[in-house]
Amino acid sequence: MPDARTPQVPDKPSLDGLEDRWAPVWEDAGTYRFDRGAERADVFSIDTPPPTASGSLHVGHVFSYTHTDLVARFQRMRGKHVFYPIGWDDNGLPTERRVQNYFGVRCDPSLPHDPGFEPPQRGGEGKSVKAADQVPVDRRTFTRLCVELTHEDEKAFEALFRRLGLSVDWTQQYTTIDDRSRAVSQQAFLANLERGQAYQAQAPGLWDVTFQTAVAQAELEARDYPGAFHRVAFSRSGSGEPLHIETTRPELIPAVVALVAHPDDERYQPLFGTTVRSPLFDVEVPVLAHPAAEPDKGAGIAMCCTFGDLTDVQWWRDLQLPTRPVVGRAGRLDRETPEWITSERGREVYADLAGKTAFSAREAVVAALRESGDLDGEPVPTQRKANFFEKGDKPLEIVTSRQWYLRNGGRDGDLRQQLLDRGAELDFHPAFMRVRYENWVGGLTGDWLVSRQRSYGVPIPVWYPLDEDGEPRHDAPITPAVADLPVDPSSDAPAGYEESQRGVPGGFVGETDVMDTWATSSLSPQIAGGWGEHGGDADLWSRVAPFDLRPQGQDIIRTWLFSTVVRAHLEDDALPWRNAAISGWILDPDRKKMSKSKGNVVTPLDLLEKHGTDAVRYWAASARLGTDATFDEAQMKVGRRLAIKVLNASKFVLGFGSAPVEDVTEPVDRAVLAGLADVVEEATAALEAYDHQRALSVTETFFWRFCDDYLELVKDRAYAGGAADAGAGARSARAALSAALDVLLRLLAPFIPFATEEVWSWSHDGASVHRAAWPVAAPLREAAGDAEPRLLGVVGSALAGVRKAKSQAKVSQRTEASHAVVSAPADDVALLRSAADDLRGAGRVRELDLREGGDEVVVSDVELVTEEA
């Protein structure tokens, strides 16, 4: 309950400038600083999403990060020591591409380190620099330039988040490419390698020909892509009769290894076990059965090529077929004629295809099929689904290469079930988001591909010994000691070797691949929480792990959430956190998801300056977790009106002075406290269930009733003619007003932190509302006694009826009424009688005629006192 200090209330309270006033105060006072001495049971730890530190933040960040901050502020006021760090994800392809254009450089890991290198340019004016014009630099230098550029972005991001009022502990920051993050990533990888959970394999995998890197299943996007069905004839061995298939990729006919149909398809059962000859290239391939074949698709029998799509990979693996790839990493057909094409015709046809892109090779093959008579009819245009890298613009190819993998249940049924069980242990908010996790885990087709053929990232920490012929022994990797991490094998030599032995027979060669960015981000709890040897803090880890909350977007359940669960399961045999709070998307007025790639995002700083932070936070808080919300400035205007009303109503209430809550005696005063007790319980239960929207709604609804009805009902009684030493009725009103305001400010503090902090400062020297105890219902109920919370609503309805009559008569609300009839159900009439004096005073009605009848409160026969009277 409020203290007795005389409030210092400004003459004209305003929202303007509150952000600039209070943000530095909070920082200097350490208002949101984590207490390192707190026991684990008293800690609430948050695995905060590290935003990508390239480009700019958008309104979606404001939306989701506000949701997280609501939780942090609530838990802090509940008495928890909140561990709320912030990270910056500066490890990834967007940063790499931006640095290339900004500095005019490209990374070449084979180059020796040049500590004095200066880039040829700084700026680039947003223009793309051709690879041929980029100056090659070693990876250590490239990483330095990436860190330099992202550091400037991070400062801008921090300024915006501070303006947004995020109550993060700014002393707890990290980046995903700093020394500690690289060391944690490498230490976890080495532990996985030692336990057999990380491995390398020569295998078919998805490949982006533009970015020249392998792509993981979690990074795929299925998009419509124009194509055409080609009906092509294979020759049956012996009979020479044609067997037609339909394909959208005829350029892969030289890579065909089998024709596959469903085992129950009667059309092809007689052919299983026989062979056919491919058109143009004359290669004998078997006709085989597999249950994944689709009898009702096309001709019901399909080519299995190595490799056209992921189904080909499945058939190739299950049926133990040979590997005959023709498409290389550049997306072009191999320049050398494959050894399995032996006919003179086949070798001539292939010679015309060698080195062509897949598109050009397709045109050439179709022309050759048409000339040979093996094309039945003309191609039929269609829209086919093709896999794309989420950042790419060309369909992915499947090429065979040596890559690193981490076991994730995609090829191990027992591990898959363990990870499904982990998902069942995790509390999802909202609960329906769990099915997205389960669908993803259940649909995995392979282990997690963690290596990338990129320049900027956390290096995979292994070297390979070279045999006497200078060939690397990939089956005998050399690993560093944990104490030596982080390392870069492209510029560091392994223990026992000299740099002069790099690339020399009998020496060593460093792994040039880097880890998938998710391989580092999946360790965000460990990085932020102090796990690991390099810069680690075992004491901190013991106080924050497992974390209490992972907040994130719904679109990265399959990537960030799942990968973090995998790492914690493999490392600690536990969940990384107890709860996952999943935000929805922001939609533009056309109901399309806002994203930078679509160009429909809104700049957050403009909104914050235009409407004020509290107003923008109000809009964000008005949407539930997991629910998409339309960008709506009208809602921000509502939030600004609420924040302004908090200032003005608080000034009004504090102007009456205060009284101890024990002085509350009047029925309507006790009723407002009883109703507020219900609000406290409902808002608290909602926030405990991660339903911030419900908590805001019930609190805001009561606040407006408090302002519009209760203040109007009791202000004359509270004023008491201006007497400082007023009677019992005035003291009762003042006590109820100050007690209710104190509770309402604390209930609203997580949502509109600047306005509530400003008001709190008027009557609480040096104390922050954000460190005040979250309100509880018991003291309010004790003061309310057996009061009926409905009383305020009933009397408020009657007062509204009186006001309506005056408005319809076009007279001032201060105009007196000599008489008014109020009809209501019997129970409501009893409530009205208990507050009749307040109703008469607020409505300026000399005589009230209270009558039983009807189903609701109705005011009639209002007789106004005219000037003549």
Side-chain angles (χ1 to χ4, degrees):
M1 294 300 166
D3 62 22
R5 183 175 77 82
T6 301
Q8 303 297 313
V9 183
D11 291 335
K12 294 182 178 180
S14 172
L15 294 179
D16 297 337
L18 293 187
E19 295 89 348
D20 293 334
R21 175 181 177 184
W22 286 110
V25 171
W26 293 334
E27 183 63 23
D28 293 343
T31 304
Y32 308 125
R33 202 75 43 82
F34 176 63
D35 182 359
R36 287 294 306 269
E39 296 297 325
R40 180 63 188 91
D42 299 323
V43 169
F44 188 90
S45 48
I46 303 173
D47 182 18
T48 320
T52 302
S54 63
S56 61
L57 295 172
H58 58 78
V59 73
H61 292 96
V62 168
F63 183 71
S64 58
Y65 281 82
T66 296
H67 294 171
T68 305
D69 191 59
L70 298 174
V71 177
R73 290 181 178 278
F74 169 67
Q75 292 292 342
R76 192 178 290 112
M77 295 178 74
R78 290 294 296 275
K80 291 289 188 179
H81 299 279
V82 177
F83 182 67
Y84 189 11
I86 188 72
W88 310 109
D89 189 7
D90 45 15
N91 165 20
L93 183 60
T95 299
E96 181 177 335
R97 304 290 283 186
R98 187 159 174 254
V99 166
Q100 288 173 339
N101 291 325
Y102 189 89
F103 291 110
V105 299
R106 60 180 172 83
C107 183
D108 183 348
S110 67
L111 293 177
H113 177 53
D114 178 4
F117 176 83
E118 285 296 325
Q121 68 180 46
R122 290 177 180 273
E125 299 179 352
K127 297 178 180 178
S128 179
V129 180
K130 294 181 179 179
D133 297 329
Q134 294 169 351
V135 176
V137 298
D138 63 277
R139 184 152 65 193
R140 188 177 299 179
T141 297
F142 191 78
T143 297
R144 171 175 62 82
L145 295 175
C146 289
V147 171
E148 178 184 330
L149 187 57
T150 55
H151 182 62
E152 295 304 311
D153 290 333
E154 289 158 11
K155 288 193 291 186
F157 287 12
E158 179 178 339
L160 181 64
F161 278 165
R162 285 181 182 273
R163 177 65 185 256
L164 185 58
L166 296 192
S167 62
V168 302
D169 182 350
W170 292 103
T171 67
Q172 302 287 342
Q173 293 192 58
Y174 67 89
T175 69
T176 58
I177 200 62
D178 61 23
D179 282 355
R180 168 156 169 75
S181 293
R182 284 184 285 134
V184 168
S185 298
Q186 291 182 338
Q187 182 179 342
F189 176 85
L190 292 173
N192 295 137
L193 182 60
E194 183 178 356
R195 293 192 293 261
Q197 297 157 349
Y199 65 93
Q200 57 180 325
Q202 189 84 11
L206 293 158
W207 185 268
D208 189 283
V209 299
T210 302
F211 294 110
Q212 285 294 290
T213 187
V215 176
Q217 184 179 353
E219 298 170 305
L220 299 184
E221 285 186 0
R223 305 177 194 166
D224 288 329
Y225 192 73
F229 281 113
H230 304 78
R231 183 173 169 85
V232 178
F234 280 67
S235 300
R236 299 187 192 182
S237 298
S239 69
E241 295 180 12
L243 176 61
H244 289 98
I245 59 95
E246 293 184 14
T247 179
T248 59
R249 299 204 63 182
E251 74 276 12
L252 294 182
I253 291 175
V256 67
V257 292
L259 297 188
V260 181
H262 195 277
D264 297 333
D265 194 327
E266 296 180 355
R267 294 172 295 175
Y268 302 112
Q269 284 177 344
L271 298 178
F272 294 149
T274 66
T275 62
V276 294
R277 189 171 65 254
S278 64
L280 301 181
F281 304 100
D282 305 315
V283 177
E284 293 284 335
V285 296
V287 180
L288 302 173
H290 193 283
E294 300 176 278
D296 56 350
K297 184 176 180 180
I301 188 167
M303 293 192 304
C304 175
C305 304
T306 52
F307 296 92
D309 57 23
L310 293 174
T311 302
D312 282 345
V313 177
Q314 179 186 3
W315 289 343
W316 166 81
R317 183 177 292 124
D318 292 351
L319 300 173
Q320 299 183 1
L321 297 170
T323 305
R324 295 173 180 168
V326 296
V327 179
R329 292 187 175 192
R332 295 177 178 272
L333 270 66
D334 290 343
R335 297 187 181 278
E336 297 294 326
T337 300
E339 60 182 16
W340 58 86
I341 299 177
T342 58
S343 73
E344 182 177 348
R345 179 180 72 154
R347 297 181 72 83
E348 287 179 0
V349 173
Y350 190 86
D352 185 50
L353 307 178
K356 280 184 164 61
T357 64
F359 179 82
S360 296
R362 184 178 311 141
E363 291 184 327
V365 168
V366 171
L369 289 170
R370 189 179 286 115
E371 184 178 348
S372 69
D374 293 315
L375 182 66
D376 185 8
E378 287 300 305
V380 179
T382 185
Q383 285 285 331
R384 65 185 179 94
K385 286 291 185 182
N387 285 320
F388 287 75
F389 177 34
E390 58 189 1
K391 302 183 187 303
D393 55 9
K394 291 184 179 180
L396 296 173
E397 296 291 349
I398 299 178
V399 301
T400 300
S401 58
R402 182 184 59 82
Q403 301 288 347
W404 283 96
Y405 297 86
L406 189 65
R407 302 190 191 281
N408 69 351
R411 301 181 66 183
D412 181 336
D414 290 341
L415 179 56
R416 185 197 303 265
Q417 187 57 52
Q418 292 169 22
L419 293 169
L420 286 169
D421 292 343
R422 289 292 181 211
E425 295 173 29
L426 181 61
D427 286 332
F428 281 85
H429 307 282
F432 65 77
M433 285 292 176
R434 185 191 315 278
V435 72
R436 301 197 182 191
Y437 175 92
E438 293 172 342
N439 288 343
W440 174 251
V441 179
L444 288 170
T445 59
D447 284 330
W448 178 8
L449 173 66
V450 295
S451 53
R452 293 292 182 274
Q453 291 65 54
R454 301 303 308 167
S455 304
Y456 180 53
V458 177
I460 293 177
V462 299
W463 300 264
Y464 306 102
L466 298 178
D467 62 21
E468 60 275 11
D469 297 322
E471 293 297 323
R473 293 188 53 201
H474 292 121
D475 60 341
I478 304 167
T479 58
V482 170
D484 294 334
L485 302 177
V487 298
D488 184 349
S490 71
S491 57
D492 297 325
Y497 290 86
E498 300 292 338
E499 182 61 30
S500 60
Q501 295 175 275
R502 184 184 296 273
V504 177
F508 73 94
V509 66
E511 174 64 78
T512 58
D513 286 357
V514 298
M515 295 185 201
D516 167 21
T517 184
W518 294 113
T520 298
S521 297
S522 63
L523 296 166
S524 54
Q526 288 82 355
I527 294 169
W531 180 89
E533 298 297 323
H534 183 96
D537 189 334
D539 178 71
L540 176 62
W541 182 246
S542 70
R543 298 177 192 276
V544 300
F547 281 54
D548 292 280
L549 175 65
R550 154 63 70 80
Q552 66 163 70
Q554 57 184 306
D555 51 334
I556 51 175
I557 290 175
R558 60 178 184 163
T559 49
W560 193 33
L561 189 147
F562 174 61
S563 63
T564 311
V565 170
V566 170
R567 303 307 289 274
H569 177 76
L570 297 180
E571 188 63 39
D572 300 318
D573 192 25
L575 277 173
W577 358 259
R578 299 179 175 90
N579 299 276
I582 312 298
S583 291
W585 287 329
I586 297 299
L587 308 178
D588 66 14
D590 294 327
R591 302 293 295 173
K592 294 179 180 178
K593 177 191 174 186
M594 279 192 176
S595 67
K596 286 188 284 188
S597 62
K598 293 180 179 179
N600 61 348
V601 298
V602 177
T603 304
L605 187 57
D606 292 343
L607 292 174
L608 295 171
E609 291 176 345
K610 178 180 179 181
H611 300 286
T613 295
D614 284 347
V616 176
R617 288 175 62 101
Y618 172 90
W619 160 73
S622 298
R624 283 190 170 93
L625 286 174
T627 302
D628 296 342
T630 302
F631 174 73
D632 185 5
E633 288 195 69
Q635 190 79 345
M636 296 176 194
K637 293 176 182 177
V638 173
R640 184 172 179 83
R641 177 170 169 257
L642 172 65
I644 291 172
K645 190 66 174 181
V646 166
L647 296 180
N648 293 333
S650 298
K651 177 186 177 182
F652 188 64
V653 170
L654 293 174
F656 293 122
S658 63
V661 73
E662 292 79 13
D663 284 354
V664 177
T665 55
E666 294 295 317
V668 73
D669 301 332
R670 295 170 67 200
V672 77
L673 297 186
L676 186 54
D678 291 342
V679 170
V680 167
E681 289 183 343
E682 190 169 354
T684 303
L687 286 170
E688 287 176 337
Y690 294 88
D691 188 353
H692 53 256
Q693 188 275 339
R694 178 61 183 163
L696 174 60
S697 177
V698 298
T699 303
E700 181 188 12
T701 299
F702 185 89
F703 174 76
W704 285 111
R705 177 174 293 176
F706 172 81
C707 295
D708 295 343
D709 293 342
Y710 181 67
L711 278 178
E712 293 299 320
L713 281 168
V714 304
K715 65 182 181 182
D716 286 344
R717 175 159 53 89
Y719 183 60
D725 185 16
R731 290 196 303 273
S732 177
R734 293 172 184 178
L737 283 166
S738 57
L741 178 64
D742 181 273
V743 170
L744 284 167
L745 288 174
R746 286 181 284 157
L747 288 174
L748 289 168
F751 304 98
I752 49 173
F754 290 101
T756 51
E757 185 74 303
E758 171 70 8
V759 171
W760 196 260
S761 73
W762 298 344
S763 57
H764 296 78
D765 274 329
S768 171
V769 68
H770 305 298
R771 282 292 187 178
W774 184 256
V776 292
L780 295 169
R781 294 208 183 283
E782 183 178 354
D786 59 356
E788 171 55 66
R790 285 199 316 112
L791 171 58
L792 180 59
V794 171
V795 179
S797 296
L799 179 59
V802 172
R803 289 172 173 170
K804 181 179 180 181
K806 293 180 180 180
S807 295
Q808 291 175 339
K810 294 184 170 54
V811 299
S812 166
Q813 291 297 327
R814 301 187 64 80
T815 301
E816 288 192 347
S818 60
H819 180 270
V821 174
V822 181
S823 303
D827 290 345
D828 290 354
V829 169
L831 294 175
L832 287 168
R833 287 198 178 100
S834 70
D837 289 344
D838 286 327
L839 179 56
R840 277 193 294 267
R844 298 184 179 275
V845 179
R846 295 174 184 174
E847 180 182 353
L848 277 175
D849 183 357
L850 301 178
R851 301 177 182 177
E852 295 182 6
D855 298 326
E856 59 184 0
V857 176
V858 176
V859 177
S860 60
D861 300 327
V862 178
E863 298 177 5
L864 300 176
V865 178
T866 63
E867 291 184 5
E868 291 78 4

